[in-house]
Amino acid sequence: MTTATTATTATTATTTASTAAQPHAVGVAHTRIEARDKVTGAARYAGEIPFTELAHGWLVLSTVARGSVRSIGEDAVRALPGVLSVLHHGNAPRVKDDVIGALGRPDPIVEVFQHDRVPHAGWPVALVVAETSEQAREAAEALVVEYDEEPHDIAFHADRPGIYTPQDMEATKGDLDTQLAASDVVVDAAYTTPEQHHTAMEPHAVTARWHDGRLQVFDSNQGSKWIADDLAGLFSLDPAAVHVRSEHVGGAFGSKGLRAHHVAAVMAATELHRPVRVVLTRRQVFATTGYRSPTVQRVRLGADPDGRLRAFGHENLNLTSNLREFVEGSAAFGRTMYDADAHHTVNRVVPVDVATPTWMRAPGEAPGSFAVESALDELAERLGMDPIALRARNEPAVGPMSGLPFSSRRLIGCFEDGASRFGWADRDPRPRMRRDGRWLLGTGTAASTFPAGAVPSTASVTAEPDGTFTVRITAADVGTGARTALTLIAADALDVTPERVRVRIADSDFGPAWVAGGSMGTRSWGWAVIAAARDLRERLPLTSGEIPDGGITARTDTAELIAALAKKERYAYGAQFAEVAVDVATGEVRVRRMLGVFAAGRIINPLTARSQFVGGMTWGISMALHEEAVRDEASGGHVGADLAGYHVAAHADVPDIQAEWIDDPDPDDPVGIKGVGEIGIVGTAAAIANAVWHATGVRQRDLPIRPDRVLLAEARRDA
Ligand code: MOS
C-alpha cells in the first residue's frame, strides 16, 4: 500500500517536523490559500491561460431535436477569414464507445461527430476552428447544416408511455397499502420540481494541445485524473500519455465532468498540431453540459394519532435521454431517515429526446427532501403535532431498511439547537396568523441529510530540504476551499504550521483520487493526505535531520483503509429553519431569515465550511423560489437559456442566513469528516415551502413557488 522514494544526494537542510509543538490548524478559520491570486486576477482559469499558436474552436449545435444531419456546408465556411478546420461526423476521427472509466461509462453525449444521428436539440454537429475566437464564432454561425428532421417527444409527466423502473431502484419493507389502511391519518400528495441547471459562474472551457509526446489538457473540471483516463480510453491512448490540469474552477455543482467540448478540442488539436481552445457560451452550457431532471413525486404517509409512522411511500419519476439512463434518486431520501412498519420507495425514469441529465447539488436528496419534508409538515398539521416533535417521534434506532447501526446520528440535536436559536418555541402553529403590513409571515422547518462516504485516493507528501512540505493529490477545488482544507489537514498530520505546507492539486500526474463530488472530496483526499503524512513521518531522518536534495516522499493509497471501514449507515444531518413574507396581492415571496444547524462531521475550516453551508442554503432559496428551466415542446430546446431567462437567487434575494454546527466527528476514520459540500441544499426548499404554508394557509407542492402560483393558490382559497 505504501511506497516511498528517497533521493540520494544529501544536504544539510533540516526539518523540525517531528519535534515542534504546533497549534492545531484544523478547526481554526483560515482564508483561502489562493484568495489573493483570485481577487487580483493572477489566478488563471482554463479559458485564459496564454499559449502561442492558440487556435479557437466554436461548437455548432443542432437546431432540431431528433433526426439526422443531411449536409454540412463546410466549403463556404472554410473560405472565411481565419478558418482552419470544420470538424463533423464526415471527417472526425473515431473514438472508442465502450470505455469504462473510473466513474463508469462516459455519457454518450461526449461521443460527438461519430455518426449523423441527432438525439436532442443542442447536439454538437460540428466544431469550427479558426485563428481567433471571433472568426470561429462568425464562421460557426455561418455554417449551413441541413437536417432530415423526425418527430420528437420531450413531454414529461407521470401518465406518459415509456416509464420504467431501473434495476435496484425499488425498496420494499412490509405492505404499504395494508399499513395505509390501518393508519388514522394519511397524507397522499404529489410534488414536482422543474428542470434545473448548475449555472456555474465560470462557463466550461478547455484547451488541448500535444506537447512532448503527450496530450495536455488545461481544463475546468471536478477531477483531472477522471477526465484524463476517460480521454485516454476514448482516444485509445496510454493513460500516461494524457495530462490534465484544472488549477482553478469557477464553480461546477456536478456539471464539470467530461463533455463534448473536451472531445472536440482534442480532435482539433490532433488534426491541426496546435493548441485548440473551446469555450462554451452560456447557452451552450445549458445545451451540452447537463442539468437536473425535473421530477414528479408522490409521497404517501400513514400515521397513528401519536405521530408514529405506519406507512412510508415515495415514488419518484425523472426523465433521462435516449442515450443513457440517469436516475435522480429522490426516493432514496426516506430509506435512512424515517422508520415505518411498511416502506415502499421507488425511482422510475422515462427516456425522451433530450440531453442526458446529470448530478447536480445533492442529486436525489435535494428534490426528494422537498417532497418528503413537505409531506411530513402536512402530516404534522393534520395530527395537530409540532413538526419537530413528529420527526423526533420517528427517529430510528438503526437504518430503517438496512438494520445497520448509524455511525452517528444527531438529527434531533440539530433540531433542538436550531429551535432554540431560531425561536421556534414561540411559534403559533396556526397558519395565516401573522402579518406585517402587506406581508403575511410564516415560519417553517425541515430535516436535512446527506450520505457521508469516502473513496480510495492516492496522495504523496514530500519533505523538502528547506523544511517545507509538498503535498500532491489530484483533488479539485471547485470553489469550496478544498485546497485550503487539505493544507490544514496536512499541517496537523505533519505537526507543522500551515505556512510550511504547500498543497498542489488538480493535476492528473499526481495519480488516482476521488473527484470533487458526492460531498466526499475533502474526506477522501484528507484521508489520503493523512495516511501519506504518517508514512512520511516514519521515514524522516529524526536524528540527523538531514533531508536530501529532492526531498523524501511518501506516497500512499487509502484503498485498504477504506475497505476496512465497518458497515454502518454514514450520514450527515441538519435542521433547516426559514421565515418568509408573502404578499398575496402580488404573489411575491421573500425569505426573511434562514438558519441551518448541521451535524456534518469534523469541521476543518470554519470559514469555508460556513460559506459552503450558506452557499448550499442559498441554492435552496434559489430552488424554492427561482430556478426553472423551460423547454419549448415544439423545438425541444430551452427558452431563455441564459442568466436573464433562468433565474438564480441573486444578492437581493438572499437574506440573513445563519449556518451553525454541532460536534459530530465520524468515529471511524482519522479525519472525522462527513462532508459539507451539498447538505446545505437538502430540506431547504421544504422549509421555505412549509413557511409559505404557515404564512398563507395554502400548500405549495410545485417548485419554484412563483408569484403566479401564489396568486392561483390565493384564488383557490377564496373560491
Ligand atoms: Mo456533485 S452534484 O457532488 O458533483
Side-chain angles (χ1 to χ4, degrees), residues 574-655:
Q576 305 271 6
F577 295 83
E579 180 169 54
V580 302
V582 184
D583 183 337
V584 291
T586 65
E588 185 180 4
V589 178
R590 307 287 308 184
V591 176
R592 287 207 167 174
R593 63 188 174 112
M594 279 210 304
L595 166 70
V597 178
F598 300 94
R602 175 159 294 128
I603 298 303
I604 304 302
N605 183 357
L607 190 68
T608 49
R610 178 168 277 112
S611 169
Q612 189 72 15
F613 286 133
V614 168
M617 293 167 73
T618 304
W619 303 342
I621 296 177
S622 206
M623 175 179 173
L625 301 182
H626 305 296
E627 292 189 45
E628 176 175 36
V630 179
R631 282 182 191 267
D632 170 20
E633 293 219 359
S635 75
H638 291 115
V639 177
D642 51 48
L643 295 179
Y646 183 87
H647 292 186
V648 295
H651 194 82
D653 299 306
V654 180

Side-chain angles (χ1 to χ4, degrees), residues 167-227:
Q167 271 206 318
D168 302 324
M169 284 295 150
E170 189 158 18
T172 305
K173 176 171 94 174
D175 187 74
L176 190 76
D177 290 330
T178 305
Q179 292 299 333
L180 283 169
S183 297
D184 282 87
V185 180
V186 171
V187 168
D188 180 349
Y191 302 86
T192 68
T193 63
E195 177 177 327
Q196 297 161 346
H197 284 254
H198 308 80
T199 57
M201 187 81 85
E202 179 205 16
H204 298 57
V206 67
T207 307
R209 68 168 177 174
W210 285 91
H211 187 73
D212 288 341
R214 300 176 83 198
L215 174 63
Q216 279 192 342
V217 177
F218 298 82
D219 193 21
S220 176
N221 68 47
Q222 291 175 241
S224 287
K225 182 64 174 158
W226 169 36
I227 302 294

Side-chain angles (χ1 to χ4, degrees), residues 198 222 226 252-257 292 358-363 450 478 514-521 619 677-678:
H198 308 80
Q222 291 175 241
W226 169 36
F253 312 117
S255 75
K256 284 184 176 166
R292 192 204 300 278
T358 191
W359 310 296
M360 176 174 148
R361 306 182 195 148
F450 202 77
V478 294
W514 179 238
V515 304
S519 299
M520 296 187 285
W619 303 342
E678 291 158 281

Side-chain angles (χ1 to χ4, degrees), residues 42-59:
R44 298 275 193 191
Y45 289 78
E48 55 187 18
I49 300 167
F51 292 93
T52 53
E53 290 283 284
L54 181 64
H56 298 263
W58 200 274
L59 284 174

